[in-house]
Amino acid sequence: MVPKEDLFAEAAKHWDLERLYQAFAEAKRQISPRSRRGLTETEKLYLRGLLSGCSPAEIARQLFQTSKSAEVYLCKTLYQYVKKLADVPNEPVGNWRNICDRLQEAGYKTLSSSEFKMNNSLPTEALVKIVGIAFKESTISMDINIQLTFPSTSETPKTEDLDRDG
């Protein structure tokens, strides 16, 4: 059996959990000023479950609960906090999938490291020069120089010239 604190750990790969926990705790305080400060471990667990893409029924299965109890718990807690965060107190959540959409729109989703690497490693400029063409029997040979400019965190752009000979 997986310890509860390890359940839905993949949420941390794509979401700023600490910021979310703080924002949800503040929303909770505004909705129920007399309630316990901060989110409970159960609230954090359910939130991570939703952020991991699990339905309330899937979360309930992982926690050995009934689907109905998970749905009721979410409606009374996290869904209310999301409505407060999104400043739509009278609008129904509608579907558990809307939670991730609303939180992503609010800027709580982080780029995964592979997305970050891909977005920051694509060339911003490319220069291709054909420097020679040769025809020999049924073969065409081309000499090509390629110059790629990659984004950099410094002021001056870094250029990598793949022409090793010249």
Side-chain angles (χ1 to χ4, degrees):
M1 190 166 134
V2 178
K4 283 187 176 183
E5 59 272 1
D6 292 342
L7 283 173
F8 315 117
E10 61 272 12
K13 296 177 187 173
H14 304 287
W15 297 92
D16 187 346
L17 290 181
E18 286 310 311
R19 227 176 94 220
L20 275 165
Y21 292 160
Q22 290 173 358
F24 271 66
E26 178 58 25
K28 176 182 180 178
R29 189 191 62 72
Q30 290 175 13
I31 291 169
S32 305
R34 295 181 186 184
S35 67
R36 176 178 175 240
R37 289 182 53 87
L39 293 182
T40 65
E41 290 307 311
T42 303
E43 288 169 327
K44 290 178 182 180
L45 187 61
Y46 271 84
L47 179 58
R48 287 195 314 269
L50 292 173
L51 297 174
S52 295
C54 295
S55 69
E58 292 168 324
I59 295 169
R61 251 191 316 278
Q62 292 268 349
L63 300 175
F64 304 104
Q65 298 175 348
T66 66
S67 295
K68 191 66 178 166
S69 66
E71 289 172 16
V72 168
Y73 182 79
L74 285 166
C75 286
K76 289 185 175 187
T77 60
L78 297 181
Y79 291 175
Q80 299 305 313
Y81 309 157
V82 169
K83 289 171 25 173
K84 184 73 174 170
L85 283 174
D87 198 26
V88 287
N90 299 323
E91 191 177 308
V93 170
N95 188 311
W96 63 271
R97 289 179 185 90
N98 296 344
I99 301 294
C100 290
D101 293 340
R102 291 206 176 152
L103 295 175
Q104 183 173 355
E105 288 168 7
Y108 291 102
K109 189 162 189 178
T110 60
L111 288 176
S112 69
S113 59
S114 62
E115 289 175 72
F116 183 76
K117 287 177 187 169
M118 280 298 292
N119 288 342
N120 286 322
S121 64
L122 296 175
T124 56
E125 192 175 317
L127 177 63
V128 179
K129 291 184 200 174
I130 300 175
V131 292
I133 300 177
F135 300 96
K136 192 174 188 180
E137 295 176 22
S138 61
T139 304
I140 300 174
S141 297
M142 295 177 114
D143 291 329
I144 301 172
N145 288 348
I146 300 175
Q147 183 177 346
L148 302 174
T149 304
F150 291 89
S152 172
T153 55
S154 66
E155 295 291 321
T156 55
K158 292 184 180 179
T159 301
E160 184 175 335
D161 192 347
L162 299 178
D163 180 18
R164 306 255 185 245
D165 299 331

